[in-house]
Amino acid sequence: MARLVSERSDAIMALAEVFRTHGFEGTTLSVITAQTKMGKGSLYHFFPGGKEEMAEAVLEEIGGWFENRVFKPLREDRNADAAIAKMFEAVDSYFRSGHRVCLVGAFALGRECERFEDQVRGYFKTWVADLEACLVRAGHKHIEARDLSEEVVGGIQGALVLARSLDQPAVFSRSLSRLKQRLEVKR
Amino acid sequence: MARLVSERSDAIMALAEVFRTHGFEGTTLSVITAQTKMGKGSLYHFFPGGKEEMAEAVLEEIGGWFENRVFKPLREDRNADAAIAKMFEAVDSYFRSGHRVCLVGAFALGRECERFEDQVRGYFKTWVADLEACLVRAGHKHIEARDLSEEVVGGIQGALVLARSLDQPAVFSRSLSRLKQRLEVKR
DNA sequence: CGCCAATTGTACTGATCAGTACATTGTGTA
DNA sequence: TACACAATGTACTGATCAGTACAATTGGCG
């Protein structure tokens, strides 16, 4: 049944929003059923492993999205500048210009960082490495490229923290353009 | 009794470590009693308001530490450069060169941001504002100072996320020196 | 229609949660 | 020593937790 796949992936999108809002520990089964309108029956049918499997599926979904929209372009695009521009666009749209928070970043700060170590570490490791390689292709020196990629990936995460805490999404947008500019200027 | 105050403040230090490790939702009473060696009797004696009051006390303690060691110097030190140097030193020592995470930042990304809105927002708002004012005193233009202060405070938070997720404290140290240098160069 | 498997609602389970009550212990002071 | 009160351990409470079992329902296909 094709329907199964599509409904499960719908569920993952809804679950992602719940986890983003409540964190892993804060996401109780009753919160999930309330917010996704899915009963326990459906949830455990699609995710027999329970909450843990749900979170894993969500992280996988997020990883896949970034792989397609950010990491792969950074690795494969002929035009490095275009790939970087694409990255900033994708990031801005994914985080809704600062209205949305990064689940992987939130997991990184908590105990979830151990439970989902591979996925959390993989996400950031890939991002930094692919951006670094792209910057090298764009003409940066290696050490400079490493520093810049850490600065940008970290800068994005920090901007999300700041924008959320101050309730000023504009802080995120400003940071993003600053980081963008930084990659252009430094060369 | 003077002893009361001192024991309560000891408890706050221990609690801070627990909340940093497990997050707010993940910090159950049983985790607290296990990690702090304090029984429920003591905990509810010092914090009749329960977990919420404990977290508030911890946030207050953190806020006080940063007020004394970071914010006040930024506001009051005659020598702006010295105040900024002091800030970086304090930050590096507080976050144990990237081995420790920022509880306020973690709260900012989760639902705790609403529950402890005042303390979380106050922390970041004060930090950015005081750093900005200090940068103006150091000779920066106003808009430039605002951008730089957001960049630095956000950059620190992002560096913590990155360092933690990659399990590479060195990432934090590198970021810190980069940010430090940035405040010197730009002028 | 009628069958079968996918899907879902619901009523359970035992464990654990935050918080309370209260008796017991420790300690400074008179 | 004796008293008063701070500090603490322990045994409860009802609520909620994740997860299970299973019967009822659905929807596609012959």
Side-chain angles (χ1 to χ4, degrees):
Chain A
M1 243 182 176
R3 198 164 153 260
L4 192 158
V5 175
S6 116
E7 301 252 346
R8 193 185 126 109
S9 93
D10 287 352
I12 292 177
M13 305 298 247
L15 284 169
E17 218 42 53
V18 182
F19 280 118
R20 242 189 297 273
T21 309
H22 296 85
F24 183 75
E25 301 283 359
T27 298
T28 66
L29 265 281
S30 66
V31 167
I32 296 178
T33 56
Q35 197 159 332
T36 66
K37 313 282 187 190
M38 298 180 73
K40 280 190 176 188
S42 312
L43 287 165
Y44 278 89
H45 175 72
F46 290 123
F47 310 96
K51 238 176 79 168
E52 183 133 351
E53 188 177 339
M54 296 178 209
E56 254 159 23
V58 166
L59 287 173
E60 198 179 330
E61 210 278 332
I62 294 174
W65 195 94
F66 276 81
E67 172 62 26
N68 287 327
R69 303 281 300 262
V70 179
F71 307 157
K72 200 188 289 180
L74 285 175
R75 281 196 309 269
E76 298 181 357
D77 263 26
R78 291 274 185 79
N79 185 341
D81 292 323
I84 287 169
K86 210 177 284 183
M87 176 183 84
F88 281 109
E89 266 175 53
V91 165
D92 187 55
S93 94
Y94 188 85
F95 296 117
R96 307 255 164 84
S97 305
H99 286 91
R100 207 195 217 181
V101 124
C102 180
L103 181 66
V104 192
F107 275 18
L109 288 181
R111 207 148 191 75
E112 299 84 7
C113 187
E114 297 164 24
R115 193 177 225 155
F116 306 105
E117 187 180 321
D118 293 344
Q119 319 223 33
V120 171
R121 188 169 304 168
Y123 174 85
F124 286 113
K125 206 171 168 182
T126 307
W127 194 348
V128 172
D130 291 347
L131 177 56
E132 180 181 338
C134 185
L135 288 173
V136 169
R137 271 189 290 132
H140 289 273
K141 291 191 215 113
H142 278 79
I143 294 181
E144 195 181 271
R146 188 200 60 180
D147 276 15
L148 278 173
S149 63
E150 282 176 5
E151 188 173 335
V152 167
V153 176
I156 290 169
Q157 293 297 313
L160 289 169
V161 171
L162 211 55
R164 174 75 192 275
S165 66
L166 299 174
D167 194 28
Q168 287 181 11
V171 170
F172 178 73
S173 300
R174 273 204 294 272
S175 298
L176 219 56
S177 18
R178 240 183 289 119
L179 292 168
K180 201 165 158 187
Q181 194 189 359
R182 194 145 173 71
L183 294 189
E184 294 158 0
V185 167
K186 253 261 167 121
R187 201 153 6 134
Chain B
M1 247 182 175
R3 197 165 153 262
L4 192 156
V5 175
S6 117
E7 302 251 346
R8 193 185 125 108
S9 93
D10 287 353
I12 292 176
M13 305 298 245
L15 285 170
E17 220 40 54
V18 182
F19 280 119
R20 243 190 296 273
T21 309
H22 296 85
F24 183 75
E25 301 283 358
T27 298
T28 66
L29 266 279
S30 67
V31 167
I32 296 178
T33 57
Q35 196 159 331
T36 66
K37 314 280 187 193
M38 298 180 73
K40 280 191 176 188
S42 313
L43 287 167
Y44 277 89
H45 174 72
F46 289 124
F47 309 96
K51 240 175 78 169
E52 183 133 350
E53 187 176 340
M54 297 178 207
E56 252 160 27
V58 166
L59 287 173
E60 197 179 330
E61 210 280 332
I62 294 173
W65 195 95
F66 275 82
E67 172 62 26
N68 287 328
R69 303 283 298 265
V70 179
F71 308 157
K72 201 189 288 178
L74 285 175
R75 281 196 307 268
E76 297 180 359
D77 263 27
R78 290 275 186 78
N79 184 341
D81 293 322
I84 286 169
K86 208 176 286 181
M87 175 184 82
F88 281 109
E89 267 176 51
V91 165
D92 187 54
S93 96
Y94 187 85
F95 295 117
R96 306 253 164 85
S97 304
H99 290 276
R100 207 195 219 181
V101 121
C102 179
L103 182 64
V104 192
F107 275 18
L109 288 181
R111 205 146 193 74
E112 300 83 7
C113 187
E114 296 164 26
R115 193 177 224 151
F116 306 106
E117 186 179 322
D118 292 344
Q119 318 223 33
V120 171
R121 186 169 304 170
Y123 175 85
F124 286 113
K125 204 171 171 183
T126 308
W127 195 346
V128 171
D130 290 347
L131 177 55
E132 180 181 337
C134 185
L135 288 173
V136 168
R137 268 188 292 132
H140 290 273
K141 290 188 215 116
H142 277 79
I143 294 182
E144 195 180 270
R146 189 201 59 180
D147 275 15
L148 277 173
S149 62
E150 283 177 4
E151 188 173 337
V152 167
V153 177
I156 289 170
Q157 293 297 314
L160 290 169
V161 171
L162 212 53
R164 174 76 192 275
S165 65
L166 299 174
D167 194 28
Q168 289 181 11
V171 169
F172 178 74
S173 299
R174 272 203 296 273
S175 298
L176 220 56
S177 16
R178 239 183 291 120
L179 292 168
K180 202 166 157 186
Q181 194 188 0
R182 191 144 175 72
L183 293 189
E184 293 159 2
V185 166
K186 255 264 169 119
R187 204 155 3 135

